[in-house]
Amino acid sequence: MNRRTKLLAVCLAISLVFAGWTWLRPYEWGRDAGARYRVAHAWVERDHSFCWLGVYLKQAGSQSHDLMKPVALILADGREVEPAETDLEGDQDHPNAGIGLKFWLEEKDLAGPLRLKLNDGTLTIRKESGPPPVTDSIRYFNTANW
């Protein structure tokens, strides 16, 4: 092996480690177990002067979602917004293994931290403050740091 090949091998190894870390890291560290679910990803899409915020959740334990308990997105100013659309997915063994939630928000509502109240806990959707990362296309987020 010459020097150039070794350098390329080291760069490839570093790239693979970084890609693996990005792919395998959780959406949020220290998830609230009372929520019974974990955030798989979130997405934002502009719709005229408003935005759709979508959140996809996966079951994190043996207990599924309690359909009798309300679900709400808690905005930075403390207001609670109910989902405009809820999609449940699963099979007979795991009837609610995945949950998709969509919220209809104004752009200013996305400017601060966002939390999701679910079952007996809360999940962090967005940790950061500042202008919302809204573009003309759909933006997907695999971590709460957006």
Side-chain angles (χ1 to χ4, degrees):
M1 279 185 133
N2 63 18
R3 192 168 130 176
R4 182 183 227 173
T5 306
K6 287 179 186 178
L7 180 62
L8 288 174
V10 169
C11 289
L12 177 64
I14 291 171
S15 298
L16 288 174
V17 168
F18 179 73
W21 166 251
T22 303
W23 185 263
L24 297 174
R25 71 179 169 180
Y27 187 86
E28 100 180 272
W29 297 97
R31 177 188 60 80
D32 187 354
R36 303 180 188 171
Y37 283 75
R38 64 178 176 79
V39 180
H41 67 267
W43 56 268
V44 176
E45 178 182 18
R46 182 189 306 266
D47 191 356
H48 300 290
S49 63
F50 289 88
C51 297
W52 284 107
L53 169 66
V55 179
Y56 181 69
L57 308 170
K58 289 197 169 203
Q59 191 170 347
S62 60
Q63 292 182 316
S64 67
H65 176 54
D66 185 356
L67 296 173
M68 300 303 289
K69 293 187 178 180
V71 175
L73 182 69
I74 303 170
L75 305 176
D77 61 4
R79 288 184 298 136
E80 293 186 4
V81 178
E82 293 183 5
E85 185 178 311
T86 303
D87 296 321
L88 303 174
E89 70 175 38
D91 55 19
Q92 288 199 350
D93 296 333
H94 303 90
N96 298 329
I99 300 176
L101 302 168
K102 285 177 73 173
F103 297 93
W104 179 250
L105 303 170
E106 295 181 43
E107 278 191 46
K108 66 179 177 126
D109 296 335
L110 293 170
L114 302 171
R115 294 177 298 133
L116 182 67
K117 184 170 69 171
L118 180 75
N119 294 315
D120 296 324
T122 58
L123 299 172
T124 302
I125 305 301
R126 182 178 189 218
K127 289 182 182 178
E128 303 296 321
S129 293
V134 179
T135 61
D136 289 335
S137 62
I138 297 176
R139 294 258 335 251
Y140 286 91
F141 304 99
N142 294 326
T143 178
N145 297 320
W146 50 278

